[in-house]
Amino acid sequence: GWMRRLSGTPGFRSAMRKSSGASDAMTAGHRNEIRIAENAVQLNCKVKGIGVPFNDPNKKGLTDIDVLLDYHGREVAIEAKYYPPTVKIPLDTVRADMRSLAEFRRRKQDGDVLPVFWISHKPNDPLVWRSIEKAAKQHDVQLIVGLPDEAIHLIPRLLER
């Protein structure tokens, strides 16, 4: 099954360990990353890593790309957030993550990286959603909304643009 397909993926074991952690929110977040990777494999993507370390000057140190995919030779860098629709989303964190995605793309010599901010559920608060859309546009980051099995098919569509 999928565990065998992902077992050699950098960061997979660590994400599995973290997905059974103490905090429910963090556990859900790590499970979400694993589910994105698992669904990407079914889409014939190569999963280059989960929690790929990346030195970001904007965050003044080490951060990570939650899921890094290779889809037919194009890299897809995903910042994945698992937020139920009623949760108060920390917009400062969202903006910082979008800046990191833009920086990751800028660092790649060929620049052929699709930066994606993937959120599990659209927030109930329309002002928060508008702020997320605005930040994505400002940093030229693609937005995906939905659970991995529902939304993974959007990756090839975004790459066609």
Side-chain angles (χ1 to χ4, degrees), residues 62-100:
L62 211 57
T63 184
D64 70 356
I65 297 297
D66 290 336
V67 183
L68 187 61
L69 304 175
D70 181 310
Y71 185 76
H72 302 297
R74 298 227 19 226
E75 268 193 341
V76 181
I78 299 170
E79 181 59 42
K81 294 294 180 202
Y82 185 88
Y83 291 134
T86 52
V87 162
K88 185 170 177 5
I89 295 175
L91 287 172
D92 289 351
T93 303
V94 168
R95 290 186 193 104
D97 288 342
M98 294 214 193
R99 273 194 301 275
S100 290

Side-chain angles (χ1 to χ4, degrees), residues 24-93:
D24 283 351
M26 282 186 78
T27 296
H30 290 296
R31 266 197 208 121
N32 189 47
E33 293 170 13
I34 292 166
R35 287 188 28 230
I36 289 172
E38 168 193 345
N39 280 277
V41 166
Q42 293 168 6
L43 194 69
N44 291 323
C45 283
K46 181 181 184 322
V47 180
K48 293 179 89 173
I50 300 169
V52 178
F54 157 62
N55 198 349
D56 183 2
N58 297 304
K59 291 184 178 172
K60 295 178 176 48
L62 211 57
T63 184
D64 70 356
I65 297 297
D66 290 336
V67 183
L68 187 61
L69 304 175
D70 181 310
Y71 185 76
H72 302 297
R74 298 227 19 226
E75 268 193 341
V76 181
I78 299 170
E79 181 59 42
K81 294 294 180 202
Y82 185 88
Y83 291 134
T86 52
V87 162
K88 185 170 177 5
I89 295 175
L91 287 172
D92 289 351
T93 303

Side-chain angles (χ1 to χ4, degrees), residues 3 12-32 34:
M3 278 198 69
F12 173 68
R13 289 185 194 290
S14 170
M16 283 297 288
R17 252 193 330 275
K18 292 174 188 167
S19 76
S20 57
S23 147
D24 283 351
M26 282 186 78
T27 296
H30 290 296
R31 266 197 208 121
N32 189 47
I34 292 166

Side-chain angles (χ1 to χ4, degrees), residues 54-61 63-65 75 77 95-109 111-116 138-141:
F54 157 62
N55 198 349
D56 183 2
N58 297 304
K59 291 184 178 172
K60 295 178 176 48
T63 184
D64 70 356
I65 297 297
E75 268 193 341
R95 290 186 193 104
D97 288 342
M98 294 214 193
R99 273 194 301 275
S100 290
L101 283 166
E103 178 66 22
F104 184 79
R105 178 186 47 217
R106 197 181 66 71
R107 291 265 188 93
K108 290 287 171 171
Q109 275 65 38
D112 200 14
V113 175
L114 181 75
V116 174
Q138 184 182 348
H139 296 290
D140 195 21
V141 168

